[in-house]
Amino acid sequence: MEPLLPPSAVAHLLGVAPPTLRSWDRRYGIGATGRSPGGHRRYTPEDLRRLTDMCRMVAEGMTPADAAARAASGPASEPAAAPGVPAQRGPASGTGRSASAALHGVTRAAIRMDAATVEDVLEDRLRTRGVVDTWDEVARPVLFGMGSAWAATQRFVEVEHMLSWSISSSLRRVHRSPRIRDRRHIILACTPAELHTLPLEALAAALSENGVAWRMIGAATPIAAIEAAVRRTAPKAVVVWSHRPESADPEALSAVRRASAGLREATLLMTAGLGWQGGVGGMSDACSATLPDALSILTKDIAAAT
Protein backbone atom coordinates (compact mmCIF):
# COMPACT_ATOMS: atom_id res chain seq x y z
CA MET A 1 0.00 0.00 0.00
CA GLU A 2 1.33 3.44 -0.91
CA PRO A 3 1.97 5.80 2.02
CA LEU A 4 -0.55 8.49 2.93
CA LEU A 5 0.86 11.80 4.11
CA PRO A 6 -0.59 14.20 6.72
CA PRO A 7 -1.10 17.86 5.77
CA SER A 8 1.91 18.98 7.81
CA ALA A 9 4.27 16.72 5.84
CA VAL A 10 2.84 17.84 2.49
CA ALA A 11 3.07 21.50 3.49
CA HIS A 12 6.74 20.98 4.42
CA LEU A 13 7.51 19.22 1.12
CA LEU A 14 5.84 21.93 -0.95
CA GLY A 15 7.09 24.90 1.04
CA VAL A 16 3.61 26.25 1.77
CA ALA A 17 1.67 26.81 4.99
CA PRO A 18 -0.95 24.21 6.04
CA PRO A 19 -3.72 26.88 5.84
CA THR A 20 -2.76 27.37 2.18
CA LEU A 21 -3.43 23.69 1.52
CA ARG A 22 -6.86 23.99 3.15
CA SER A 23 -7.58 27.11 1.09
CA TRP A 24 -6.65 25.38 -2.18
CA ASP A 25 -8.87 22.45 -1.27
CA ARG A 26 -11.79 24.76 -0.46
CA ARG A 27 -11.37 27.11 -3.44
CA TYR A 28 -10.15 24.85 -6.20
CA GLY A 29 -11.03 21.33 -5.11
CA ILE A 30 -7.43 20.17 -5.18
CA GLY A 31 -6.72 18.53 -1.84
CA ALA A 32 -6.48 15.29 0.09
CA THR A 33 -8.47 12.34 -1.19
CA GLY A 34 -7.28 9.85 1.44
CA ARG A 35 -8.24 9.36 5.07
CA SER A 36 -6.47 7.90 8.08
CA PRO A 37 -8.16 5.15 10.12
CA GLY A 38 -9.32 7.92 12.44
CA GLY A 39 -10.87 9.88 9.57
CA HIS A 40 -8.22 12.61 9.26
CA ARG A 41 -7.20 14.02 5.88
CA ARG A 42 -4.30 12.23 4.22
CA TYR A 43 -2.62 12.93 0.88
CA THR A 44 -2.03 10.13 -1.61
CA PRO A 45 0.97 10.12 -4.00
CA GLU A 46 -1.39 11.30 -6.75
CA ASP A 47 -2.62 14.17 -4.55
CA LEU A 48 1.00 15.19 -3.95
CA ARG A 49 1.75 14.99 -7.69
CA ARG A 50 -1.17 17.32 -8.47
CA LEU A 51 -0.13 19.81 -5.80
CA THR A 52 3.52 19.73 -6.93
CA ASP A 53 2.43 20.49 -10.51
CA MET A 54 0.22 23.31 -9.24
CA CYS A 55 3.08 24.86 -7.24
CA ARG A 56 5.38 24.67 -10.25
CA MET A 57 2.85 26.34 -12.56
CA VAL A 58 2.11 29.09 -10.03
CA ALA A 59 5.86 29.72 -9.70
CA GLU A 60 6.04 30.02 -13.50
CA GLY A 61 3.39 32.74 -13.54
CA MET A 62 0.03 30.98 -13.84
CA THR A 63 -2.86 32.00 -11.58
CA PRO A 64 -3.65 29.53 -8.78
CA ALA A 65 -7.10 28.84 -10.26
CA ASP A 66 -5.70 28.01 -13.71
CA ALA A 67 -2.83 26.02 -12.23
CA ALA A 68 -5.22 23.97 -10.08
CA ALA A 69 -7.41 23.22 -13.08
CA ARG A 70 -4.42 22.19 -15.17
CA ALA A 71 -2.91 20.07 -12.39
CA ALA A 72 -6.23 18.33 -11.73
CA SER A 73 -6.55 17.36 -15.42
CA GLY A 74 -3.46 15.17 -15.39
CA PRO A 75 0.36 15.21 -15.46
CA ALA A 76 1.82 18.34 -17.03
CA SER A 77 3.21 17.59 -20.46
CA GLU A 78 6.45 18.92 -21.89
CA PRO A 79 6.48 20.42 -25.38
CA ALA A 80 7.42 18.01 -28.14
CA ALA A 81 10.91 18.28 -29.58
CA ALA A 82 12.44 17.24 -32.85
CA PRO A 83 14.45 14.00 -32.77
CA GLY A 84 17.82 14.62 -31.18
CA VAL A 85 16.79 18.05 -29.85
CA PRO A 86 16.08 18.37 -26.11
CA ALA A 87 12.64 19.61 -25.11
CA GLN A 88 12.66 23.28 -24.21
CA ARG A 89 11.80 23.99 -20.59
CA GLY A 90 10.56 27.29 -19.35
CA PRO A 91 7.40 29.18 -18.46
CA ALA A 92 5.08 30.17 -21.27
CA SER A 93 3.33 32.87 -19.32
CA GLY A 94 6.05 34.20 -17.04
CA THR A 95 7.15 37.30 -18.95
CA GLY A 96 4.57 39.51 -17.27
CA ARG A 97 5.39 38.48 -13.70
CA SER A 98 6.23 41.20 -11.22
CA ALA A 99 9.51 41.02 -9.32
CA SER A 100 7.65 40.04 -6.15
CA ALA A 101 5.85 37.21 -7.96
CA ALA A 102 9.12 35.92 -9.41
CA LEU A 103 10.79 36.17 -6.00
CA HIS A 104 7.91 34.29 -4.37
CA GLY A 105 8.01 31.62 -7.08
CA VAL A 106 11.75 31.07 -6.75
CA THR A 107 11.55 30.98 -2.94
CA ARG A 108 8.76 28.41 -2.85
CA ALA A 109 10.40 26.25 -5.51
CA ALA A 110 13.73 26.39 -3.67
CA ILE A 111 12.20 25.36 -0.34
CA ARG A 112 10.73 22.24 -1.92
CA MET A 113 14.12 21.61 -3.64
CA ASP A 114 12.60 22.03 -7.11
CA ALA A 115 15.71 23.17 -8.99
CA ALA A 116 14.09 22.87 -12.42
CA THR A 117 11.40 25.42 -11.56
CA VAL A 118 13.92 27.75 -9.91
CA GLU A 119 15.95 27.74 -13.11
CA ASP A 120 12.88 28.12 -15.35
CA VAL A 121 11.78 31.26 -13.51
CA LEU A 122 15.27 32.74 -13.36
CA GLU A 123 16.02 32.10 -17.03
CA ASP A 124 12.69 33.55 -18.12
CA ARG A 125 13.43 36.71 -16.17
CA LEU A 126 17.02 36.90 -17.43
CA ARG A 127 15.76 36.83 -21.01
CA THR A 128 12.92 39.30 -20.51
CA ARG A 129 14.21 41.70 -17.84
CA GLY A 130 17.97 41.34 -18.03
CA VAL A 131 20.76 40.40 -15.67
CA VAL A 132 20.81 43.44 -13.38
CA ASP A 133 17.06 43.25 -12.70
CA THR A 134 17.15 39.48 -12.15
CA TRP A 135 20.11 39.71 -9.80
CA ASP A 136 18.94 42.70 -7.77
CA GLU A 137 15.21 41.92 -7.66
CA VAL A 138 15.13 38.11 -7.45
CA ALA A 139 18.41 36.21 -7.07
CA ARG A 140 20.17 38.35 -4.48
CA PRO A 141 17.09 38.85 -2.24
CA VAL A 142 16.25 35.14 -2.16
CA LEU A 143 19.87 34.24 -1.36
CA PHE A 144 19.88 36.81 1.44
CA GLY A 145 16.57 35.43 2.74
CA MET A 146 17.84 31.85 2.79
CA GLY A 147 21.06 32.94 4.49
CA SER A 148 19.06 34.81 7.12
CA ALA A 149 16.78 31.80 7.64
CA TRP A 150 19.79 29.58 8.23
CA ALA A 151 21.33 32.06 10.66
CA ALA A 152 18.08 32.26 12.64
CA THR A 153 17.05 28.60 12.61
CA GLN A 154 20.06 26.54 11.44
CA ARG A 155 17.75 25.21 8.71
CA PHE A 156 17.69 25.38 4.91
CA VAL A 157 21.45 25.15 4.34
CA GLU A 158 20.71 22.50 1.69
CA VAL A 159 18.27 24.91 0.04
CA GLU A 160 20.86 27.68 -0.02
CA HIS A 161 23.42 25.41 -1.67
CA MET A 162 20.96 24.17 -4.29
CA LEU A 163 19.81 27.72 -4.95
CA SER A 164 23.37 28.95 -5.49
CA TRP A 165 23.99 26.17 -8.00
CA SER A 166 20.74 26.91 -9.84
CA ILE A 167 21.47 30.65 -10.07
CA SER A 168 24.96 29.93 -11.37
CA SER A 169 23.61 27.42 -13.91
CA SER A 170 20.96 29.85 -15.13
CA LEU A 171 23.41 32.72 -15.57
CA ARG A 172 25.76 30.55 -17.61
CA ARG A 173 23.05 29.04 -19.78
CA VAL A 174 21.58 32.39 -20.75
CA HIS A 175 24.91 34.22 -21.08
CA ARG A 176 27.68 31.78 -21.93
CA SER A 177 31.38 32.60 -21.97
CA PRO A 178 32.20 34.77 -24.99
CA ARG A 179 34.71 34.09 -27.72
CA ILE A 180 37.61 36.52 -27.34
CA ARG A 181 38.25 38.06 -30.77
CA ASP A 182 40.56 40.82 -29.58
CA ARG A 183 42.28 42.01 -26.43
CA ARG A 184 39.47 44.29 -25.31
CA HIS A 185 38.37 41.95 -22.58
CA ILE A 186 38.04 41.96 -18.79
CA ILE A 187 39.56 39.45 -16.37
CA LEU A 188 37.35 38.48 -13.42
CA ALA A 189 39.10 36.97 -10.41
CA CYS A 190 38.59 36.34 -6.71
CA THR A 191 41.27 36.93 -4.09
CA PRO A 192 43.08 33.77 -2.89
CA ALA A 193 40.86 33.41 0.21
CA GLU A 194 37.54 34.25 -1.51
CA LEU A 195 35.30 31.28 -2.35
CA HIS A 196 32.02 33.06 -3.15
CA THR A 197 31.79 33.70 -6.90
CA LEU A 198 28.08 34.26 -7.57
CA PRO A 199 28.24 38.09 -7.67
CA LEU A 200 31.21 37.83 -10.03
CA GLU A 201 29.24 35.40 -12.20
CA ALA A 202 26.36 37.87 -12.31
CA LEU A 203 28.80 40.57 -13.45
CA ALA A 204 30.12 38.24 -16.16
CA ALA A 205 26.59 37.62 -17.44
CA ALA A 206 25.82 41.35 -17.40
CA LEU A 207 29.00 42.06 -19.38
CA SER A 208 27.99 39.47 -21.99
CA GLU A 209 24.56 41.05 -22.18
CA ASN A 210 26.27 44.36 -22.98
CA GLY A 211 28.61 42.90 -25.58
CA VAL A 212 31.75 43.10 -23.43
CA ALA A 213 34.13 40.14 -23.53
CA TRP A 214 35.54 38.64 -20.34
CA ARG A 215 37.60 35.79 -18.93
CA MET A 216 36.68 34.27 -15.56
CA ILE A 217 39.45 32.73 -13.49
CA GLY A 218 37.17 32.10 -10.56
CA ALA A 219 37.23 31.34 -6.87
CA ALA A 220 40.33 31.37 -4.64
CA THR A 221 42.61 32.52 -7.46
CA PRO A 222 46.28 32.23 -6.49
CA ILE A 223 48.31 35.43 -6.74
CA ALA A 224 50.61 33.82 -9.32
CA ALA A 225 47.60 32.87 -11.46
CA ILE A 226 46.25 36.43 -11.46
CA GLU A 227 49.65 37.77 -12.46
CA ALA A 228 50.12 35.16 -15.21
CA ALA A 229 46.65 35.75 -16.65
CA VAL A 230 47.24 39.49 -16.92
CA ARG A 231 50.64 39.03 -18.59
CA ARG A 232 49.37 36.43 -21.04
CA THR A 233 46.16 38.11 -22.16
CA ALA A 234 46.78 41.88 -21.75
CA PRO A 235 43.25 42.69 -20.57
CA LYS A 236 41.63 46.09 -20.77
CA ALA A 237 40.50 45.74 -17.14
CA VAL A 238 40.85 43.39 -14.18
CA VAL A 239 38.16 42.99 -11.52
CA VAL A 240 39.28 41.52 -8.19
CA TRP A 241 36.35 40.37 -6.03
CA SER A 242 36.23 40.08 -2.23
CA HIS A 243 33.04 39.53 -0.26
CA ARG A 244 34.57 39.77 3.23
CA PRO A 245 37.27 42.00 4.73
CA GLU A 246 39.24 38.88 5.76
CA SER A 247 39.63 37.91 2.10
CA ALA A 248 40.54 41.39 0.77
CA ASP A 249 44.19 40.63 0.01
CA PRO A 250 46.07 43.72 -1.27
CA GLU A 251 48.74 41.45 -2.74
CA ALA A 252 46.24 40.46 -5.44
CA LEU A 253 46.08 44.11 -6.47
CA SER A 254 49.87 44.40 -6.42
CA ALA A 255 50.05 41.37 -8.72
CA VAL A 256 47.84 43.11 -11.28
CA ARG A 257 49.99 46.24 -11.08
CA ARG A 258 53.20 44.26 -11.59
CA ALA A 259 51.84 42.27 -14.51
CA SER A 260 50.30 45.22 -16.29
CA ALA A 261 53.29 47.54 -15.90
CA GLY A 262 54.93 46.30 -19.10
CA LEU A 263 51.84 46.14 -21.27
CA ARG A 264 51.39 48.46 -24.22
CA GLU A 265 47.94 49.59 -23.18
CA ALA A 266 46.77 50.67 -19.75
CA THR A 267 44.85 48.15 -17.65
CA LEU A 268 42.06 49.38 -15.38
CA LEU A 269 42.22 47.76 -11.94
CA MET A 270 38.85 47.57 -10.21
CA THR A 271 38.03 46.15 -6.80
CA ALA A 272 34.52 44.81 -6.29
CA GLY A 273 32.65 43.67 -3.21
CA LEU A 274 32.19 44.80 0.38
CA GLY A 275 35.47 43.27 1.47
CA TRP A 276 37.46 46.18 0.07
CA GLN A 277 35.62 48.87 1.97
CA GLY A 278 38.09 48.79 4.84
CA GLY A 279 40.53 50.92 2.86
CA VAL A 280 42.80 48.41 1.09
CA GLY A 281 40.79 48.98 -2.07
CA GLY A 282 42.45 52.38 -2.37
CA MET A 283 45.20 50.76 -4.46
CA SER A 284 42.73 50.31 -7.32
CA ASP A 285 41.60 52.68 -10.07
CA ALA A 286 37.94 52.12 -9.28
CA CYS A 287 35.89 50.38 -6.58
CA SER A 288 32.35 49.09 -6.72
CA ALA A 289 30.04 47.39 -4.22
CA THR A 290 27.03 46.88 -6.52
CA LEU A 291 26.42 45.19 -9.86
CA PRO A 292 25.02 48.32 -11.59
CA ASP A 293 28.04 50.38 -10.49
CA ALA A 294 30.54 47.77 -11.65
CA LEU A 295 28.79 47.40 -14.99
CA SER A 296 28.67 51.16 -15.51
CA ILE A 297 32.39 51.59 -14.78
CA LEU A 298 33.47 48.71 -17.00
CA THR A 299 31.24 49.43 -19.98
CA LYS A 300 32.25 53.11 -19.98
CA ASP A 301 35.92 52.19 -19.77
CA ILE A 302 35.69 49.76 -22.67
CA ALA A 303 33.63 52.16 -24.76
CA ALA A 304 36.11 54.99 -24.18
CA ALA A 305 39.00 52.83 -25.35
CA THR A 306 37.41 51.55 -28.56
Side-chain angles (χ1 to χ4, degrees):
M1 178 180 293
E2 294 182 299
L4 301 180
L5 298 175
S8 58
V10 172
H12 181 73
L13 287 170
L14 297 177
V16 301
T20 300
L21 291 179
R22 292 194 293 271
S23 174
W24 286 351
D25 193 1
R26 186 175 64 254
R27 293 183 181 183
Y28 312 122
I30 183 166
T33 60
R35 287 290 183 272
S36 70
H40 299 290
R41 290 183 306 141
R42 292 294 182 266
Y43 289 81
T44 68
E46 180 61 18
D47 296 334
L48 182 59
R49 193 276 306 162
R50 284 195 296 268
L51 286 164
T52 300
D53 281 351
M54 179 180 174
C55 286
R56 175 181 57 78
M57 288 184 278
V58 169
E60 292 178 352
M62 194 175 290
T63 66
D66 288 343
R70 182 79 63 87
S73 67
S77 59
E78 295 287 348
V85 178
Q88 295 296 310
R89 295 186 299 114
S93 60
T95 56
R97 275 193 308 270
S98 67
S100 61
L103 178 59
H104 177 82
V106 167
T107 301
R108 293 301 187 195
I111 289 173
R112 64 177 184 272
M113 300 291 284
D114 182 357
T117 297
V118 169
E119 291 171 25
D120 280 347
V121 175
L122 288 172
E123 289 170 33
D124 176 65
R125 194 159 187 95
L126 283 166
R127 293 187 176 100
T128 58
R129 299 296 184 89
V131 176
V132 172
D133 174 279
T134 303
W135 177 254
D136 280 346
E137 300 297 330
V138 182
R140 190 165 59 89
V142 76
L143 279 169
F144 178 81
M146 289 301 169
S148 298
W150 179 85
T153 67
Q154 300 299 296
R155 295 177 56 205
F156 303 119
V157 66
E158 73 285 2
V159 174
E160 187 178 9
H161 279 247
M162 185 214 73
L163 187 60
S164 296
W165 175 258
S166 292
I167 293 170
S168 176
S169 299
S170 297
L171 288 167
R172 292 194 220 183
R173 262 197 296 270
V174 177
H175 295 291
R176 56 169 290 177
S177 299
R179 295 190 183 280
I180 309 293
R181 293 184 174 84
D182 56 36
R183 295 191 305 159
R184 301 291 184 184
H185 71 278
I186 294 170
I187 283 182
L188 306 172
C190 291
T191 58
E194 183 56 68
L195 299 175
H196 296 88
T197 63
L198 263 182
L200 206 57
E201 292 176 49
L203 175 58
L207 289 170
S208 285
E209 189 175 56
N210 283 269
V212 178
W214 49 270
R215 285 183 169 100
M216 170 76 77
I217 52 178
T221 310
I223 298 294
I226 296 175
E227 195 165 350
V230 174
R231 285 205 173 101
R232 288 186 59 192
T233 67
K236 185 59 189 171
V238 178
V239 178
V240 183
W241 164 259
S242 171
H243 179 60
R244 301 168 294 112
E246 311 90 83
S247 66
D249 187 349
E251 181 56 27
L253 309 185
S254 298
V256 176
R257 292 294 191 208
R258 287 194 300 270
S260 60
L263 300 178
R264 283 182 171 184
E265 302 173 37
T267 298
L268 177 81
L269 172 57
M270 189 176 93
T271 50
L274 296 176
W276 298 107
Q277 292 191 345
V280 290
M283 296 172 61
S284 64
D285 301 311
C287 188
S288 174
T290 69
L291 177 57
D293 285 349
L295 187 61
S296 175
I297 292 167
L298 294 170
T299 52
K300 284 179 181 175
D301 180 71
I302 293 293
T306 56

